[in-house]
Amino acid sequence: QCLSTMISVKIYEDQEGQTKGFKVSGHALFDNKGRDIVCAGVSILTINTVNSIEKFLPDQKMQVNSDNRNGYIECILDGTISEKARLLLDTYVFGIENIEENYGKKYIEIVKEVKDHA
């Protein structure tokens, strides 16, 4: 099994530059399984964001696709994105960017992409 040697985070934005979702794939390989703090940090932020939107904003339309075995999750908010959902997404991006800043592009790479449709 070949694992990506870094975590790739794609941040989806609308035409106005507002975050509307993200896709995370790969493995940081910062340390051995169970000790990889980069992978753990990204996983916690990602899963917590998805779970928080589901729990606290049940009316927010959202598509989630994931494959835990291969370290993949994609979350895209549909329709009108509430102010609270935007805050959760902005908080997610802030956290992911801090991980990249602290551990470097060797382990995590963030790319922003304009995505018009889900």
Side-chain angles (χ1 to χ4, degrees):
Q1 172 178 331
C2 179
L3 297 176
S4 172
T5 58
M6 77 165 54
I7 295 173
S8 172
V9 180
K10 188 171 284 187
I11 304 297
Y12 299 130
E13 296 181 338
D14 63 18
Q15 293 289 342
E16 289 77 41
Q18 296 288 318
T19 303
K20 63 183 289 178
F22 51 84
K23 178 170 71 173
V24 179
S25 60
H27 296 277
L29 303 181
F30 179 78
D31 202 340
N32 294 326
K33 185 176 179 177
R35 299 175 54 100
D36 191 331
I37 60 174
V38 175
C39 188
V42 170
S43 295
I44 290 166
L45 280 172
T46 302
I47 299 303
N48 188 64
T49 299
V50 172
N51 290 345
S52 293
I53 293 168
E54 287 176 343
K55 178 172 177 64
F56 299 115
L57 305 172
D59 294 334
Q60 178 65 60
K61 294 179 183 171
M62 175 173 64
Q63 295 179 35
V64 178
N65 299 303
S66 65
D67 179 352
N68 294 339
R69 180 182 171 105
N70 293 311
Y72 167 85
I73 187 166
E74 182 176 48
C75 172
I76 302 171
L77 276 58
D78 295 326
T80 302
I81 301 174
S82 71
E83 190 174 321
K84 290 178 180 179
R86 286 205 188 279
L87 179 60
L88 289 172
L89 289 175
D90 289 345
T91 301
Y92 174 76
V93 172
F94 178 71
I96 289 294
E97 288 175 343
N98 276 309
I99 291 173
E100 181 189 51
E101 185 178 308
N102 285 302
Y103 293 96
K105 292 182 184 289
K106 178 179 178 184
Y107 300 107
I108 179 172
E109 178 183 54
I110 300 170
V111 176
K112 295 190 177 182
E113 173 184 304
V114 174
K115 189 171 185 72
D116 290 323
H117 304 289

